[in-house]
Amino acid sequence: MEHWLYTFHLMDKSFTVNLDTLITMWFAMLCIIGFSFIATRKLEIIPTKLQVCCESILKLIWGLMDSMMPSDNRKHVPLIASLFLFILFANLMGQLPLRIIHIKEGELASPTNDINMTAAMAVIVLVYYVVAGIIKKKEKFLLKDFSFVSIIMMFVDLLEMITRPLSLAIRLFANIFAGEVLVSIALAATAYFLPLPVMLFEILVAFIQATVFMMLTMAYIGGATGEEH
């Protein structure tokens, strides 16, 4: 399961990218844009089945946000909903149509089986909740006062900020990568019956991992912007 590497030169320097990750990442984004366009094109008072499905997803996200974040949480919906939908679509690509496309350089697997992709999303979450916390609490976001305990806690919080995106990135990457390895092993063992239950299980894992990433993002933003008691 090697990546499709592409090297290009810019200003006398060589850069290598995982081209398969870029292709599937952009494909996932196009799928989300297309799905959003179709779902919101004709909204009705009496909703269609697709509209009911989309409204249910948003109600689920809003319900989780209301229970985990401060009262002004709706402004964070664009980031959290986008992360959930992108990770879900990206995870499913390791099991659904793109997996049957074979190219000379390898297969078009899920972009979330690339640690670079999951690390980039984790860094986006880190920057977002740090900025949100600074906007909300100003200078008290890290340093409550100039006491010895507050200074020690500031360094502990800084260390936690470094480990949070690392845990987010590794958790998502490891679960998706392990699932695709299991499917590949099952396909090598038998091409018909064994891979099917594994692939069905990995579809469930795709939903779970997208939900876990979303809920941890809510928890981090809620912790950064919420009032302490």
Side-chain angles (χ1 to χ4, degrees):
M1 299 183 67
E2 295 182 358
H3 287 287
W4 177 8
L5 300 180
Y6 177 77
T7 302
F8 64 95
H9 302 279
L10 182 64
M11 299 177 63
D12 297 328
K13 292 185 178 180
S14 297
F15 299 89
T16 301
V17 297
N18 294 339
L19 198 58
D20 58 321
T21 300
L22 291 177
I23 292 173
T24 51
M25 177 188 71
W26 281 100
F27 185 75
M29 290 191 290
L30 289 174
C31 288
I32 294 171
I33 293 172
F35 175 77
S36 302
F37 175 77
I38 294 172
T40 59
R41 185 175 55 176
K42 292 182 179 180
L43 298 178
E44 302 288 346
I45 297 178
I46 301 177
T48 62
K49 292 181 180 179
L50 179 60
Q51 186 176 336
V52 169
C53 177
C54 295
E55 290 178 355
S56 299
I57 293 173
L58 284 178
K59 286 180 181 179
L60 172 64
I61 294 175
W62 287 342
L64 290 172
M65 292 178 70
D66 289 339
S67 64
M68 299 179 63
M69 299 176 64
S71 57
D72 59 341
N73 53 33
R74 295 298 168 87
K75 62 185 178 183
H76 305 299
V77 168
L79 173 75
I80 293 173
S82 297
L83 278 173
F84 174 75
L85 290 175
F86 174 77
I87 293 173
L88 178 60
F89 274 76
N91 290 349
L92 292 174
M93 285 184 181
Q95 312 301 327
L96 299 176
L98 288 184
R99 197 171 183 85
I100 66 175
I101 300 175
H102 295 281
I103 55 179
K104 182 175 65 175
E105 292 80 4
E107 64 180 12
L108 296 175
S110 168
T112 47
N113 84 341
D114 187 345
I115 187 65
N116 300 290
M117 182 75 251
T118 59
M121 290 189 295
V123 170
I124 290 172
V125 173
L126 170 65
V127 173
Y128 185 92
Y129 82 74
V130 168
V131 172
I134 292 174
I135 292 174
K136 181 75 174 182
K137 299 180 180 179
K138 303 297 190 292
E139 68 279 356
K140 292 185 178 181
F141 174 64
L142 281 178
L143 190 61
K144 308 299 182 296
D145 50 55
F146 290 97
S147 65
F148 177 75
V149 174
S150 293
I151 293 174
I152 294 298
M153 290 305 299
M154 179 187 69
F155 287 107
V156 172
D157 290 338
L158 288 172
L159 179 61
E160 187 178 13
M161 287 181 188
I162 296 173
T163 57
R164 277 179 175 177
L166 182 64
S167 64
L168 274 177
I170 293 178
R171 180 186 294 107
L172 179 57
F173 158 73
N175 281 280
I176 301 305
F177 180 76
E180 294 194 352
V181 169
L182 284 175
V183 173
S184 298
I185 293 173
L187 286 170
T190 174
Y192 295 102
F193 300 108
L194 184 59
L196 184 58
V198 178
M199 293 179 72
L200 291 175
F201 176 74
E202 289 305 317
I203 291 174
L204 175 62
V205 171
F207 280 90
I208 293 174
Q209 290 305 314
T211 304
V212 168
F213 199 102
M214 176 184 68
M215 293 184 67
L216 287 175
T217 300
M218 290 180 187
Y220 296 158
I221 297 174
T225 59
E227 297 295 334
E228 297 184 359
H229 300 284

